[in-house]
Amino acid sequence: MAGREFHDGAKDGLEALEPLDPEKIHSFSELLEAMRKTAFGGRRLGEAYETLAAMIDDADCKVVLTLSGAMTIAKMGKIISTMIDHGMVQAIVSTGALVAHGLSESVGKLHYRHEPSHSDEELFQKGYNRVYDTLEMESNLNYVEHVVSLTLKRLHTDQPLSSHLLTRELGKTLAEEFEGPGILKSAYLKNVPVYIPAFTDSEMGLDVATWAMGKKIDFTRSQIKEGGDLAVLRALHEVCPAFNPYVDLNHYAEEVMGCPRLGIFTIGGGVPRNWAQQVAPYIEISNTRLGLNVQPPRFHYGVRICPEPDYWGGLSGCTYQEGISWGKFVPPAEGGRFAEVLSDATLVWPLLMVGLLERCRAKSVSS
């Protein structure tokens, strides 16, 4: 067995770590920069801050924000709208529930802290919907349906619907009818498309379905002679809105194709993350099956905040390195830059956001 060699890290070109000195830190941005030279989760957070700042500073980079989890119920909605307002993101892919609960906030409704002494049976009877330690009143969601209906009245009945069209029109309603901030309001004002791939898996999806059925309720009742309301409902289930998810798919592909560089900032995982990333395979299989020759877009930057590890084999936990094998990301050897924080977004996202805003203010003062 050969003897060990005792190398010097500096001579080998290794990066030295530095003690985090709280006496020398005077801002969140300085704290995050210092954390990059520590270890474990702290280093991951510091690397996420630097990568996120790099993609935002890159004038040739379009940033896609993907959202899952109950982030608006968790009161992270203002962070999202602030990122839009400051031009940090140019497209959003989200779960429908997150946007619906954000709509509740946008129209002035409140969420409440859940007290463990209240049983879920009691909450149901009182019209409270529990999301872990927080409550959404059913009356909030009923009011959101009113806002959705108000918006749908503006649209032509034969107009093909898609999630980005509906979210844009909802943002217009918020901008014209409601005061205060909102995710869809900011997105509308900044012309940032908001896509909801699993649209029917949301309160808004149910609102649109019942809106379409409501247009036929009187006629259907007049035609059904037996079976009562159950028969009426089954007949109404044949009535579907003219919703086409492929309008979203192709609109998103058009948004990201041809961009010099792409960045993705992911909160959680799920459908929004994969739907946003699958644009490269979409273009690649189009080339293969249709005889085309179009350069598939790949992400140059990526930051993921999600507590899900990769060893469960689930998509939410898969690393950006794994995504390289699917052609979704630019390898680090070709300039790809990625960071992943395995943590609850409500813990680290606010820190990142405050650091980024401090950095923006400092840059504007120096310029």
Side-chain angles (χ1 to χ4, degrees), residues 31-192:
L31 173 63
L32 291 163
E33 289 169 359
M35 290 172 76
R36 194 191 68 80
K37 294 192 175 182
T38 62
F40 313 143
R43 186 193 300 171
R44 282 179 175 249
L45 181 57
E47 290 173 344
Y49 174 69
E50 289 201 347
T51 305
L52 194 55
M55 79 165 85
I56 290 171
D57 285 348
D58 188 339
D60 290 328
C61 179
K62 172 170 280 193
V63 180
V64 180
L65 172 63
T66 80
L67 301 165
S68 66
M71 290 295 104
T72 41
I73 279 185
K75 316 319 290 179
M76 299 291 111
K78 192 66 167 65
I79 292 181
I80 301 169
S81 59
T82 299
M83 293 191 78
I84 300 169
D85 294 340
H86 284 262
M88 296 179 180
V89 297
Q90 286 74 51
I92 293 176
V93 185
S94 178
T95 63
L98 189 150
V99 173
H101 295 303
L103 262 177
S104 174
E105 252 186 349
S106 301
V107 296
K109 303 302 180 181
L110 301 175
H111 298 113
Y112 292 93
R113 177 186 177 122
H114 168 244
E115 298 298 335
S117 59
H118 298 156
S119 71
D120 289 297
E121 292 83 357
E122 179 185 358
L123 294 176
F124 174 74
Q125 292 299 327
K126 292 181 175 180
Y128 292 115
N129 302 307
R130 182 165 73 91
V131 180
Y132 184 49
D133 61 356
T134 304
L135 301 176
E136 172 87 87
M137 295 186 294
E138 185 66 23
S139 59
N140 288 359
L141 300 177
N142 288 335
Y143 189 73
V144 165
E145 188 277 331
H146 164 72
V147 178
V148 174
S149 296
L150 189 68
T151 302
L152 289 170
K153 287 179 181 177
R154 289 202 308 267
L155 305 181
H156 298 294
T157 55
D158 58 348
Q159 181 176 3
L161 301 178
S162 64
S163 69
H164 81 271
L165 183 150
L166 287 167
T167 52
R168 184 189 71 209
E169 291 300 318
L170 284 166
K172 181 179 180 181
T173 299
L174 293 177
E176 295 178 349
E177 303 290 337
F178 296 90
E179 297 182 0
I183 297 168
L184 296 186
K185 181 177 184 177
S186 291
Y188 171 74
L189 295 174
K190 290 290 186 178
N191 197 29
V192 172

Side-chain angles (χ1 to χ4, degrees), residues 213 232-240:
M213 290 190 291
V232 173
L233 181 60
R234 283 175 169 162
L236 287 171
H237 282 167
E238 300 296 320
V239 179
C240 297

Side-chain angles (χ1 to χ4, degrees), residues 112-360:
Y112 292 93
R113 177 186 177 122
H114 168 244
E115 298 298 335
S117 59
H118 298 156
S119 71
D120 289 297
E121 292 83 357
E122 179 185 358
L123 294 176
F124 174 74
Q125 292 299 327
K126 292 181 175 180
Y128 292 115
N129 302 307
R130 182 165 73 91
V131 180
Y132 184 49
D133 61 356
T134 304
L135 301 176
E136 172 87 87
M137 295 186 294
E138 185 66 23
S139 59
N140 288 359
L141 300 177
N142 288 335
Y143 189 73
V144 165
E145 188 277 331
H146 164 72
V147 178
V148 174
S149 296
L150 189 68
T151 302
L152 289 170
K153 287 179 181 177
R154 289 202 308 267
L155 305 181
H156 298 294
T157 55
D158 58 348
Q159 181 176 3
L161 301 178
S162 64
S163 69
H164 81 271
L165 183 150
L166 287 167
T167 52
R168 184 189 71 209
E169 291 300 318
L170 284 166
K172 181 179 180 181
T173 299
L174 293 177
E176 295 178 349
E177 303 290 337
F178 296 90
E179 297 182 0
I183 297 168
L184 296 186
K185 181 177 184 177
S186 291
Y188 171 74
L189 295 174
K190 290 290 186 178
N191 197 29
V192 172
V194 179
Y195 306 94
I196 303 174
F199 186 73
T200 57
D201 183 27
S202 70
E203 187 75 19
M204 291 184 299
L206 305 185
D207 293 341
V208 172
T210 54
W211 165 77
M213 290 190 291
K215 292 181 173 296
K216 300 290 186 179
I217 180 66
D218 292 336
F219 173 78
T220 303
R221 280 193 183 279
S222 69
Q223 298 299 305
I224 300 298
K225 305 303 181 183
E226 297 179 353
D229 284 352
L230 179 58
V232 173
L233 181 60
R234 283 175 169 162
L236 287 171
H237 282 167
E238 300 296 320
V239 179
C240 297
F243 188 93
N244 188 344
Y246 288 98
V247 174
D248 284 326
L249 178 65
N250 291 334
H251 186 274
Y252 175 70
E254 286 293 320
E255 285 286 307
V256 300
M257 282 195 308
C259 295
R261 280 178 292 282
L262 287 174
I264 186 168
F265 179 35
T266 289
I267 303 297
V271 171
R273 174 187 176 176
N274 189 62
W275 192 88
Q277 293 176 176
Q278 72 173 357
V279 63
Y282 181 39
I283 301 305
E284 185 176 351
I285 65 174
S286 297
N287 286 339
T288 301
R289 298 171 188 176
L290 304 177
L292 303 176
N293 184 21
V294 177
Q295 181 65 37
R298 295 183 296 172
F299 289 97
H300 290 73
Y301 302 95
V303 173
R304 175 174 73 101
I305 303 175
C306 179
E308 182 80 0
D310 62 339
Y311 54 75
W312 298 123
L315 180 65
S316 295
C318 81
T319 61
Y320 291 126
Q321 191 70 28
E322 180 180 322
I324 292 171
S325 73
W326 290 82
K328 298 176 181 179
F329 296 95
V330 175
E334 298 176 20
R337 186 172 177 181
F338 314 116
E340 310 190 46
V341 184
L342 301 181
S343 181
D344 177 352
T346 64
L347 294 176
V348 299
W349 196 7
L351 300 178
L352 288 171
M353 192 66 229
V354 173
L356 289 170
L357 289 176
E358 285 181 347
R359 191 170 175 279
C360 289

